[in-house]
Amino acid sequence: MIATTSFSNPITEPAGLPAKQSTGRLQRLTAAVSSAKPFYQELTLASATNAEPLLIKLLQRHCCETGWIVLVAPQQLPSKALASYLQLPIDRILVIHPETIKDPATTLMKLLHSASCRVVINFTELASAALTSELSQCAARQQRWFYQMNQITTQTH
């Protein structure tokens, strides 16, 4: 038989003393984490050469996410040596190549509804503003991060 002890007077905070408040860096970090909510963001690329640094920044931003980070039809990927050096979560990155995508809208909807997918970074062009709106609403409902990478197109004369 195990002996148990009961305390009739539990320890409580003394009345009149202010509670310890977090300040400075910890408070800013806590506020940033609590305000970080999954969302849709459209990013515009001036050229294919600036796609890689932007992709690296996004991967670093989401390195602590649980679940897959899916890259849909990226034009360029960081090398394995660079990814290792920057400590990118290469074990949780899934790449869908453009030749395997039949319908980008369906693919993106399935990814946003997937329980194991947390971040979707899309490099394909979306057909309409209505589709963009539908995907952003789906990302918010499903608590997913969704990024749309658009290339600036310059017209030639």
Side-chain angles (χ1 to χ4, degrees), residues 1 15 22 89 115-116 157:
M1 179 179 228
S22 60
S116 60
H157 298 280

Side-chain angles (χ1 to χ4, degrees), residues 44-48 50 150-152 154:
T44 304
L45 304 171
S47 67
N50 73 345
N150 292 328
Q151 190 84 288
I152 292 178
T154 55

Side-chain angles (χ1 to χ4, degrees), residues 16-67:
L17 290 179
K20 190 173 184 178
Q21 297 290 325
S22 60
T23 57
R25 183 175 176 211
L26 180 60
Q27 187 175 16
R28 288 190 306 271
L29 181 61
T30 304
V33 169
S34 64
S35 67
K37 295 184 176 146
F39 72 110
Y40 166 79
Q41 186 173 0
E42 189 170 336
L43 303 169
T44 304
L45 304 171
S47 67
T49 57
N50 73 345
E52 185 179 20
L54 184 58
L55 177 60
I56 289 171
K57 287 179 185 177
L58 287 174
L59 293 174
Q60 287 175 328
R61 178 180 186 182
H62 295 290
C63 68
C64 296
E65 293 286 339
T66 57

Side-chain angles (χ1 to χ4, degrees), residues 7-150:
F7 293 104
S8 60
N9 206 2
I11 299 173
T12 59
E13 289 292 322
L17 290 179
K20 190 173 184 178
Q21 297 290 325
S22 60
T23 57
R25 183 175 176 211
L26 180 60
Q27 187 175 16
R28 288 190 306 271
L29 181 61
T30 304
V33 169
S34 64
S35 67
K37 295 184 176 146
F39 72 110
Y40 166 79
Q41 186 173 0
E42 189 170 336
L43 303 169
T44 304
L45 304 171
S47 67
T49 57
N50 73 345
E52 185 179 20
L54 184 58
L55 177 60
I56 289 171
K57 287 179 185 177
L58 287 174
L59 293 174
Q60 287 175 328
R61 178 180 186 182
H62 295 290
C63 68
C64 296
E65 293 286 339
T66 57
W68 288 102
I69 299 171
V70 182
L71 308 178
V72 180
Q75 297 96 352
Q76 192 174 11
L77 293 171
S79 68
K80 285 189 179 187
L82 179 62
S84 295
Y85 176 75
L86 296 173
Q87 298 177 348
L88 298 177
I90 55 177
D91 58 331
R92 291 182 291 112
I93 297 174
L94 179 66
V95 178
I96 301 177
H97 297 282
E99 57 272 2
T100 62
I101 301 171
K102 291 183 173 75
D103 181 18
T106 304
T107 302
L108 292 170
M109 278 297 190
K110 286 181 180 181
L111 288 171
L112 290 173
H113 281 93
S114 171
S116 60
C117 176
R118 189 75 179 128
V119 179
V120 177
I121 304 172
N122 180 38
F123 291 86
T124 63
E125 292 293 323
L126 296 179
S128 67
L131 176 60
T132 301
S133 176
E134 186 179 347
L135 289 169
S136 66
Q137 290 171 2
C138 180
R141 279 192 312 271
Q142 299 297 322
Q143 299 290 300
R144 304 289 184 264
W145 293 92
F146 178 59
Y147 296 94
Q148 174 61 45
M149 304 289 220
N150 292 328

